Amino acid sequence: MPHKHGARNTDIADVAQLAISPNLPAHIPLLLDQIHAQGKEYLDVNPQARLDLLESARSLVYALETPREAILRHCWSETTSYAAIETGINVGLFTALGTDDNPKTVAQLAKTTNVDPVLLGRIMKHLAAMGVLLETGKDTYQPTGFSKTLTEEKYSDAFPLMTTRFTQGFLALPTFLAQTNHTNPTNPTHTAFHLGHNTTHSFFEHVQREPDTARRFNNHMGVYAQGRPRWMDPGFYPVQQQLIEGAVPTIDAEGVLLVDVGGSFGHDLLAFRRMWPDLPGRLVLQDLPEVVAGVPAEVAELGVEVLGYDFFTAQTVVGARAYYLHSILHDWPDDLCRTILANLKAAMTPGYSKLLINENVIPDTGAYWETTSLDFIMMSIGSAERTESQWRALLDGAGLRVVRIWAAQRGVESLIECELV
Ligand SMILES: C[S@@+](CC[C@H](N)C(=O)[O-])C[C@H]1O[C@@H](n2cnc3c(N)ncnc32)[C@H](O)[C@@H]1O
């Protein structure tokens, strides 16, 4: 039966044929040529070529697979591999398999993990089918880079974080959007998160109440930007020139150079201090008291000051050279962003203080899947990733002047440099 909203000229017999034919056949020859050329560049050790090759390979899969295969990929494989991976994490499978490349049998691993060998065999077969492990023989497996990475909690915590405190919100989105007549969600107290998790609390209220959620979330945030260009890296934002040389009055050791507002466990300030060890001025980390209670000792050891602070209240560090917000404003709808920005503005010194906003700036075309996925995550809690014009409207309306948007890779992790008007 044709879909009730999908009336098209294609008749039912055609759809049945389409369902088992490649999705975008006309794109396949060009993609194959592209992959051939990019593969050569990758072998020449060009780092950008790896990303280009990956994008083309993904596009080739989407073009080559049939609609029926695509449906099964979405509905079967992605959801079930999630279950297999999280179970693997729970029973210590990836640690037991190890980080050397020696293959191990299901029988050996069943003993180490104390899991029924029949069940473990089924889990490992699926993990190998999904590329998480490498099958080297009957009931014998070798780790991959992926499985080795899952031996560390800061990476593996993404899975229980998502299943316990996000996924049910995503699953509730279609129902929530129907209930709200398909209007864009902007109310953080009435969201798919609330519906799916059957709760009256927001995600961040759960973070404040649940130590496990707080630890998993901060672990996840700690590695979130890994492997992407960072604003402080040479060639992205000219740190020395924009923050130090341009400062009048000149910044001294007593002044505050950078306040990371909502900085989680301090990973950005740690990276900044390591990359720019000789810059003058103090570094201050702020986050909710429940979060800063868990900040690792090395943050203070590297001289970063740690303060419990709620960014919906008056900013306590006044007149810093720069205030830094990384992945903060995307968590909140415009009206609450304006409150956060007003608190920062009141603390900024005209002609001296800067606001550095480190966020995705969604391009008009060719948005990257990581950014659009994150936009859906934000949608489930009542906020959004923003396009350049949405950022400019928000900041102009809040009385801030955008000096420049510094960008690297397709708008991912851009740095929006602002001053007081
Ligand atoms: C998406 S995370 C970003 C963390 C960090 N800036 C980064 O990029 O990795 C949002 C952060 O905002 C913090 N946060 C949420 N509500 C807050 C509030 N009212 N005041 C201060 N921090 C808050 C959370 O604890 C969390 O660390």
Side-chain angles (χ1 to χ4, degrees):
M1 186 198 265
H3 192 285
K4 66 176 174 169
H5 299 304
R8 286 186 308 174
N9 287 334
T10 320
D11 69 24
I12 298 170
D14 282 344
V15 170
Q17 189 53 44
L18 276 180
I20 53 168
S21 309
N23 201 21
L24 291 166
H27 292 225
I28 294 169
L30 181 66
L31 285 165
L32 285 171
D33 285 349
Q34 240 169 261
I35 287 173
H36 183 65
Q38 287 162 343
K40 275 193 185 150
E41 277 190 47
Y42 173 64
L43 294 176
D44 290 341
V45 200
N46 168 355
Q48 181 57 38
R50 191 194 66 82
L51 284 173
D52 296 342
L53 186 55
L54 192 57
E55 279 291 281
S56 301
R58 203 172 271 125
S59 299
L60 181 65
V61 170
Y62 296 158
L64 206 52
E65 71 183 355
T66 67
R68 192 191 151 280
E69 288 158 351
I71 290 167
L72 299 190
R73 176 169 54 77
H74 286 287
C75 298
W76 290 9
S77 68
E78 287 174 6
T79 44
T80 56
S81 58
Y82 221 98
I85 293 172
E86 193 173 340
T87 307
I89 293 165
N90 290 346
V91 301
L93 171 64
F94 302 111
T95 306
L97 192 58
T99 51
D100 57 37
D101 287 330
N102 295 331
K104 294 193 173 66
T105 63
V106 171
Q108 284 172 314
L109 291 162
K111 272 202 191 123
T112 325
T113 58
N114 206 18
V115 174
D116 174 347
V118 178
L119 172 64
L120 192 65
R122 293 170 70 186
I123 292 171
M124 295 189 74
K125 265 199 192 321
H126 191 35
L127 291 173
M130 295 304 299
V132 183
L133 308 178
L134 193 64
E135 187 178 57
T136 55
K138 182 175 179 299
D139 292 332
T140 310
Y141 298 91
Q142 186 181 316
T144 60
F146 184 15
S147 74
K148 290 176 191 175
T149 303
L150 291 175
T151 62
E152 285 203 17
E153 211 175 54
K154 66 182 178 193
Y155 297 104
S156 65
D157 265 353
F159 288 87
L161 170 70
M162 287 291 149
T163 47
T164 56
R165 280 282 162 240
F166 277 108
T167 313
Q168 288 162 63
F170 311 152
L171 296 177
L173 256 174
T175 306
F176 176 81
L177 294 175
Q179 284 175 358
T180 51
N181 295 320
H182 297 105
T183 48
N184 191 40
T186 55
N187 176 357
T189 62
H190 179 222
T191 67
F193 175 87
H194 291 85
L195 179 67
H197 291 270
N198 194 20
T199 176
T200 53
H201 300 300
S202 70
F203 170 72
F204 286 110
E205 285 165 343
H206 280 279
V207 169
Q208 283 172 271
R209 286 154 190 262
E210 297 166 356
D212 281 349
T213 304
R215 193 196 64 250
R216 288 168 183 155
F217 182 58
N218 288 298
N219 273 337
H220 187 49
M221 291 315 301
V223 293
Y224 163 87
Q226 241 188 12
R228 293 170 168 175
R230 285 179 311 183
W231 66 276
M232 64 189 83
D233 290 341
F236 194 145
Y237 176 72
V239 169
Q240 178 79 32
Q241 186 188 324
Q242 294 297 106
L243 291 187
I244 308 297
E245 289 163 15
V248 180
T250 310
I251 179 150
D252 58 24
E254 299 305 310
V256 175
L257 173 61
L258 196 57
V259 187
D260 186 354
V261 185
S264 182
F265 282 174
H267 38 268
D268 285 318
L269 285 182
L270 278 185
F272 185 82
R273 171 75 5 120
R274 290 191 176 118
M275 177 139 315
W276 300 96
D278 301 322
L279 294 187
R282 291 150 51 204
L283 303 183
V284 179
L285 169 66
Q286 296 179 326
D287 207 299
L288 292 166
E290 299 78 2
V291 174
V292 294
V295 167
E298 61 175 333
V299 172
E301 282 159 19
L302 274 177
V304 174
E305 296 164 46
V306 181
L307 295 178
Y309 166 67
D310 176 347
F311 49 51
F312 291 112
T313 62
Q315 173 55 250
T316 48
V317 180
V318 175
R321 172 63 171 150
Y323 296 86
Y324 172 64
L325 294 173
H326 187 191
S327 301
I328 299 298
L329 299 180
H330 79 161
D331 289 334
W332 305 97
D334 284 2
D335 56 339
L336 293 176
C337 286
R338 281 191 280 273
T339 308
I340 298 171
L341 293 169
N343 287 325
L344 286 167
K345 269 182 65 188
M348 289 168 72
T349 303
Y352 177 73
S353 299
K354 287 179 183 289
L355 174 61
L356 303 177
I357 300 172
N358 194 185
E359 292 270 5
N360 295 306
V361 177
I362 302 187
D364 288 339
T365 59
Y368 191 48
W369 65 270
E370 287 189 18
T371 317
T372 53
S373 308
L374 205 51
D375 186 41
F376 262 70
I377 296 178
M378 295 306 138
M379 192 189 292
S380 75
I381 62 167
S383 72
E385 297 299 319
R386 293 180 172 88
T387 61
E388 179 169 341
S389 52
Q390 287 166 334
W391 278 116
R392 286 188 184 275
L394 174 66
L395 296 166
D396 288 352
L400 288 154
R401 186 175 75 82
V402 175
V403 178
R404 181 167 162 180
I405 299 180
W406 304 80
Q409 195 186 298
R410 286 168 74 178
V412 174
E413 294 286 300
S414 300
L415 191 74
I416 310 174
E417 180 181 356
C418 307
E419 290 175 353
L420 292 174
V421 173

